[in-house]
């Protein structure tokens, strides 16, 4: 099942995609906090603007170096412990929203990723119980100012700036993401082409690990790391992240400075 | 003026401290989002439980190495650019709440700091306009797992764990914090004794810098860095952070693993 957050000009609402009719069946509430009861209304998906399917109330947790081939292309070893960083909710944008290149960087990279959305408050989740706290999955672009990642002590300027976390287009629930394709294209050209089966730490392992650091809240997002093939994006280009079974998240790239 | 967030068993409320009577004049709304109109009720401050005066909806922004003597004691230079890191809202606790030492660390340090609370959405704030976006100030303890700060690539395990951000006891508005004392005591013994006049980057400079990375939202908190004298805290101890003009934030330290 694919769930969208959308607007047709009014306040954001949620809807379940009916893939046969390309319509969204409108939900009464945010499905993470409520249930899936519907208002009875249906809207054409091509007549609304899709938004990020979730805006975290607490945090987006990034994981670095979680595909061996990507760690290698960056000149790094796969670490003994996952590399964990934070992105704030102010970094989130939705499908079609522009990625605004930060004025302080001249080398911004795409990073296609599978994103995990948490369903309920939890801490110290055992690996075998991880599915119980996962609401669903979406596609993410962990946009990174690579020059600042190299030069700064911490990755905040590199990875936490406004528009550095495109999410969408849908939140997929009841799907098996243990071995799905994760791809990035820039202006239609394939740049990243990995599979979640290559994750150094699996989704359940990541949920267990990060929930041993902090309490996870409903709507928190875990980015699971990016496969090999990261590279620059520049103003005027269009970057797409595709996660098999979830859809394609496309964003134009702009520079405003 | 000193503002508290408190509970007497029911939902949290806000109140302005009347220092003559030691009473809180109860406010109708969260003063960051509303105004300072009162309900007419007054409660004795020693009959309520004070809570963290703010829970950020977006982020807590930490600044590293912002006192030269502290940078030196850690073996670091004062950096050319501020070192910026993030703590999530799940790290926040209030006065009297226990700091729970994370099971993965055997070396947890106190870091006494002045904290800045943002009043409204803003980006690219010029230094000379910073006061316009500051709601007030409180005291913070940027509790740090020093062993993990040394060993990990990023400081997330070191600085973002649950209970790593005690805030309080009051939110001080209309105060001059350009040269106030910032102290830490452990079991009554003075450990840190600095002044904000020693900040490498001033509060207005920090607001300008961090607002060039991301949009600040009302209730976002900026931790301004810690003076020299950081050191270990252990289970059974009591740590106090005092910021002149704001009050003393005291927390017991516990270990649960």
């Amino acid at each position: 099942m694919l769930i969208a957050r959308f607007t047709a000009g009014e306040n954001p609402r949620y809807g379940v995609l009916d893939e046969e009719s390309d319509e969204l069946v409108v939900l009464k509430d945010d499905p993470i906090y409520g249930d899936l009861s519907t208002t009875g209304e249906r809207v054409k998906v091509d007549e609304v603007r899709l938004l990020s399917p979730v805006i975290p109330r607490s945090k987006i947790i990034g994981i670095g170096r979680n595909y061996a081939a990507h760690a290698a292309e960056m000149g790094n070893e796969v670490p003994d412990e996952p590399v964990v960083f934070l992105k704030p909710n102010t970094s989130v944008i939705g499908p079609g929203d522009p990625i605004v290149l930060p004025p302080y960087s001249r080398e911004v990279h795409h990073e296609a990723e599978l994103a995990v959305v948490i369903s309920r408050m939890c801490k110290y989740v055992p690996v075998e119980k991880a599915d119980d706290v996962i609401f669903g999955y979406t596609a993410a672009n962990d946009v990174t100012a690579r020059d600042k990642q190299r030069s700064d002590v911490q990755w905040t300027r590199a990875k936490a700036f406004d528009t550095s976390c495109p999410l969408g287009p849908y939140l997929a629930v009841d799907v098996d993401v243990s071995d799905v394709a994760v791809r990035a294209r820039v202006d239609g050209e394939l740049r990243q082409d990995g599979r979640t089966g290559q994750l150094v730490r699996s989704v359940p392992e990541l949920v267990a690990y990060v929930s041993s650091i902090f309490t996870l809240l409903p709507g928190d997002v875990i980015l699971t790391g990016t496969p090999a093939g990261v590279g620059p994006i520049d103003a005027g280009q269009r970057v797409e992240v595709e996660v098999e079974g979830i859809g394609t998240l496309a964003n134009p790239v702009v520079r405003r400075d």
Side-chain angles (χ1 to χ4, degrees), chain A:
Chain A
M1 182 170 61
L2 296 173
I3 299 174
R5 184 164 158 268
F6 70 93
T7 179
E10 74 303 303
N11 286 336
R13 291 183 291 170
Y14 295 83
V16 175
L17 183 66
D18 175 346
E19 294 186 60
E20 289 194 10
S21 66
D22 270 341
E23 289 175 329
L24 293 168
V25 180
V26 179
L27 299 177
K28 285 184 178 162
D29 291 310
D30 182 339
I32 294 181
Y33 300 93
D35 57 25
L36 292 174
S37 56
T38 63
T39 65
E41 194 182 353
R42 298 172 77 99
V43 295
K44 284 279 182 196
V45 71
D46 60 5
E47 290 173 4
V48 301
R49 179 177 157 217
L50 295 185
L51 305 171
S52 168
V54 62
I55 302 286
R57 273 73 162 166
S58 183
K59 55 199 166 291
I60 299 150
I61 303 148
I63 304 291
R65 305 176 193 171
N66 201 33
Y67 287 81
H70 169 64
E73 77 178 346
M74 303 304 292
N76 296 313
E77 306 273 317
V78 170
D80 292 336
E81 301 266 4
V83 177
V84 182
F85 57 91
L86 295 170
K87 293 170 90 98
N89 55 12
T90 41
S91 67
V92 173
I93 58 173
D97 292 337
I99 296 166
V100 182
L101 301 172
Y104 53 71
S105 175
R106 295 289 139 181
E107 187 188 359
V108 177
H109 279 199
H110 57 82
E111 293 195 358
E113 310 204 1
L114 171 72
V116 180
V117 179
I118 297 297
S119 60
R120 58 186 174 84
M121 188 164 77
C122 56
K123 201 174 181 195
Y124 296 120
V125 180
V127 171
E128 64 275 15
K129 298 275 191 187
D131 276 352
D132 297 352
V133 305
I134 295 173
F135 184 81
Y137 304 91
T138 191
N141 194 342
D142 176 19
V143 182
T144 301
R146 195 71 69 199
D147 45 357
K148 295 305 171 193
Q149 189 185 26
R150 281 193 302 267
S151 64
D152 285 1
V153 177
Q154 295 293 294
W155 295 350
T156 310
R157 278 204 301 180
K159 285 178 172 284
F161 58 87
D162 287 359
T163 78
S164 68
C165 193
L167 294 175
Y170 294 103
L171 222 161
V173 299
D174 301 325
V175 291
D176 177 3
V177 296
S178 57
D179 190 30
V180 295
V182 176
R183 301 187 180 101
R185 290 181 183 82
V186 177
D187 287 343
E189 185 182 306
L190 189 66
R191 296 281 185 88
Q192 294 182 272
D193 190 9
R195 299 191 67 81
T196 55
Q198 303 161 333
L199 285 171
V200 175
R201 272 100 185 176
S202 68
V203 167
E205 289 169 330
L206 294 176
V207 169
Y209 187 80
V210 302
S211 74
S212 76
I213 304 172
F214 22 52
T215 299
L216 302 181
L217 297 184
D220 278 359
V221 173
I222 303 170
L223 308 181
T224 58
T226 200
V230 299
I233 51 177
D234 217 335
Q237 293 186 314
R238 177 182 167 90
V239 57
E240 291 177 345
V241 172
E242 178 192 358
V243 176
E244 187 183 354
I246 294 173
T248 298
L249 167 68
N251 298 90
V253 182
V254 306
R255 186 177 281 286
R256 292 197 176 137
D257 53 307

